[in-house]
Amino acid sequence: MRDYAILAAIAHEPRSGYDLAKWFDRVASHFCPAGYGSVYPALARFERDGLAVHEAVPSERGPERKVYSVTEKGKEVLLRWAREPAANPQTRDEQLVKALSYGMLPSEEALELLEEARGRHAEKLAYYEDLERGLEARLREGKISKEAYIGTLLVLRRGIGGERCYLEWCEEARALVSSVEGLRVDAP
Amino acid sequence: MRDYAILAAIAHEPRSGYDLAKWFDRVASHFCPAGYGSVYPALARFERDGLAVHEAVPSERGPERKVYSVTEKGKEVLLRWAREPAANPQTRDEQLVKALSYGMLPSEEALELLEEARGRHAEKLAYYEDLERGLEARLREGKISKEAYIGTLLVLRRGIGGERCYLEWCEEARALVSSVEGLRVDAP
DNA sequence: ATAGACATGTAAGGGGTTACATGATTTA
DNA sequence: TAAATCATGTAACCCCTTACATGTCTAT
């Protein structure tokens, strides 16, 4: 799956490994993280298998860049995979693992921790909303294709919705933790 | 982090490895999946480190059960960790990786795929809502502690919110894919 | 009788993160 | 001159999933 994300990213527009790693970090890390360690070997594999080709482009600063673009075969492979139904998303959320124990903590402490979490997610939300504005601008200026715009917008909107939703949970959780302080377990 | 989830689960109530694996599958898989392969070695480690102890309990059907409960030390270790701020959640979502290519697919196909996804998440949502009703009942009947109730409710509410949010995205995505059919990229 | 649920574990293999290695160019 | 950014890769290690191994009891 990581591989298909990389393939899709160069199908949006030709990119170097360096560009890809940065792109993943900025816009795709919330659903498919990928660092240098996965990007470079994948690109080499694509080229070996005829899914991508690269063109050496002198950089304005730093060493020469290898800019990869997808081949016809690469695009076929990508779309064949995209047409299949997707597996369930898989998440590791440390915050929720910690929340499992919030009932054993003094409630003021739990409330503080939830407030911290709220802050982190509010920041993320603002960041994605910013990216969305930038994306729209790039479309208007004709810097990206319609196809790339749709794909990127879809995942960005999901990032935004996901963060909004997480914020709602933080507030719901605060209300919950506050309200159960006086909860009676045994029947009156 | 997996370890702390297992520790929290036996802090909620004493459980066997078998019970734990089932519990993870039912209520915790959306934020911290754990199968037999991780549960049994973790329990053995806990006992070696004095974080948990087990009691052999004859099963009504099948072999003897090893029911683990947390020790004072285990609870301390758990709560110390729970008080620290949490790392970002990490997700792999195949659906979004596929969505990156939806702009390159005929829109009817993309719409069908989004509709399938909507169905999967609607099912998940119904499942979590069902679990929530069961949890409330178990609290009323005094079968679980207040502490366990809060922890479990927090993560369940997150499961519910997460699925609701995903459904919203599916609908938003459908609207987006429909609307961009006639999108002009070049300025008029 | 045979399949499925109960129950506990081990082991191997694969994938992914992280750290390492190298080097040019710009900016403070 | 030191730090940061640009740029491409490799390698080791760790975690995690998956498959395997074993055995009992119940229901069909």
Side-chain angles (χ1 to χ4, degrees), chain A residues 133-155:
Chain A
R133 281 187 287 272
L135 182 69
E136 211 176 64
R138 290 182 64 207
L139 177 75
R140 275 198 311 269
E141 295 161 23
K143 286 181 181 162
I144 47 172
S145 70
K146 185 172 127 182
E147 288 76 18
Y149 172 72
I150 298 176
T152 311
L153 184 57
L154 283 174
V155 302

Side-chain angles (χ1 to χ4, degrees), chain A residues 2 33 37 61-63:
Chain A
R2 199 60 133 291
R61 55 203 212 178

Side-chain angles (χ1 to χ4, degrees), chain A residues 97 100, chain B residues 1-10 23-24 31-32:
Chain A
V97 176
L100 281 174
Chain B
M1 147 177 156
R2 198 59 133 289
D3 282 1
Y4 291 105
I6 298 171
L7 202 52
I10 59 175
W23 179 79
F24 271 90
F31 65 94
C32 180

Side-chain angles (χ1 to χ4, degrees), chain B residues 2 4 10 30 40 45 68 89 95 117 121 128 143 152 173:
Chain B
R2 198 59 133 289
Y4 291 105
I10 59 175
H30 70 92
Y40 286 116
R45 237 175 10 253
Y68 288 82
Q95 180 61 61
H121 287 283
Y128 285 131
K143 285 180 182 164
T152 312

Side-chain angles (χ1 to χ4, degrees), chain A residues 8-26:
Chain A
I10 59 175
H12 281 183
E13 65 184 299
R15 283 180 167 116
S16 71
Y18 189 77
D19 290 341
L20 280 167
K22 271 196 313 175
W23 180 81
F24 270 91
D25 187 44
R26 271 183 295 130

Side-chain angles (χ1 to χ4, degrees), chain A residues 81-145:
Chain A
W81 179 80
R83 277 182 235 258
E84 287 166 24
N88 292 332
Q90 296 197 342
T91 302
R92 316 276 148 97
D93 191 342
E94 211 174 270
Q95 180 61 61
L96 289 188
V97 176
K98 287 173 194 281
L100 281 174
S101 304
Y102 281 4
M104 306 177 226
L105 244 38
S107 48
E108 319 90 57
E109 282 193 62
L111 292 174
E112 263 178 62
L113 291 161
L114 287 167
E115 178 56 26
E116 270 183 64
R118 208 197 55 75
R120 284 194 296 274
H121 288 282
E123 227 174 284
K124 258 290 163 73
L125 174 60
Y127 172 73
Y128 286 131
E129 286 175 334
D130 203 49
L131 280 186
E132 194 191 3
R133 281 187 287 272
L135 182 69
E136 211 176 64
R138 290 182 64 207
L139 177 75
R140 275 198 311 269
E141 295 161 23
K143 286 181 181 162
I144 47 172
S145 70

